[in-house]
Amino acid sequence: MTSKTTFSSLEGEDKYRAFSYAQMKRDRINDALFRTIALKQTDLYPHMYISGPPGLGKTHMVTVNLEGGDTPYVTISGNQSLFAFGLALCVLQHTNTNLDPVFVFVDDVDFLLTDGDCLNTLKNCLEGQKRFVYEKYLTLTINNLDEDHKAAVEHFSQAGKMGFSVPTHNLIFIFTSNIRLPDDKEVIQAIQKATGRSKILIHRNAIRNRVRNYDIQLTDAEHWGWLYHAAHSSNTLSAMGLERPQINNILDFIWDNWHRLSEHSVRTVLKMADIYVHHAHSYTEIWKMDFLN
């Protein structure tokens, strides 16, 4: 089924097929996360990269799995400058005096994938040097830091050298992103066409080759199936007082109006559920006003 097919024309079998595929995809990601948190930095390709459209609940999936593991973890935003990202690693490793194993969940790494220098730095964190190296003068910057951050940066700085260098050999990175990392074929095509983006694609492909890569690519129907599975595999909606038929009512509305919806995320389901709970007699009309174009 392509995105041009209207959902209202599909039969129940199509819904089931979409749900089944999405369930397999979600189970695959959860299984990969479960296996990843059992890995060690010395294992082959311990790092993980999950990409897919916004609103699928990627952050929640990673967090739940990390909370269930035995190894400590930290969450660092990837939506920040290279210096800010490196500063977070500085603080982490400065407080981790024995450099014990730690999972680093880099949530929404998109910003760091837009620049060649950032991508090269990430590559070095994952393989080879296994260090985060920031090679710029810090004279002005460091004076604006608080004492804890300043101490961390100074700990990983060397006299006579610019910037700082943080070891990452004890870290396992899990990245989530809305950006899909290109495969080898896409890079070759970009090089042959001599597009301006070929250098960035080469760098991103190098990241892909250094991690366990999981792309969440979904048709519109499969995207709906993903939301269906997410809604029924979580206790959130039942905790709000909704039973299975009511939850399905929300999902049927989303299915029937998919191409008119202004948003298509797990959060959309939750917002519609909240309206359902507080406006039991007029929720459909409110959904139409709030979510349909």
Side-chain angles (χ1 to χ4, degrees), residues 84-105:
F85 180 74
L87 183 60
L89 293 179
C90 259
V91 173
L92 166 63
Q93 296 290 62
H94 186 232
T95 57
N96 184 18
T97 54
N98 295 324
L99 295 183
D100 294 323
V102 178
F103 283 95
V104 178
F105 173 28

Side-chain angles (χ1 to χ4, degrees), residues 122-152:
L122 287 178
K123 283 188 285 184
N124 287 331
C125 288
L126 302 174
E127 196 174 88
Q129 293 182 354
K130 292 187 178 179
R131 301 187 74 86
F132 178 97
V133 180
Y134 187 82
E135 296 181 305
K136 294 183 180 180
Y137 286 112
L138 299 173
T139 307
L140 296 177
T141 307
I142 199 168
N143 291 329
N144 295 321
L145 300 177
D146 61 35
E147 292 303 316
D148 290 338
H149 287 81
K150 186 182 296 185

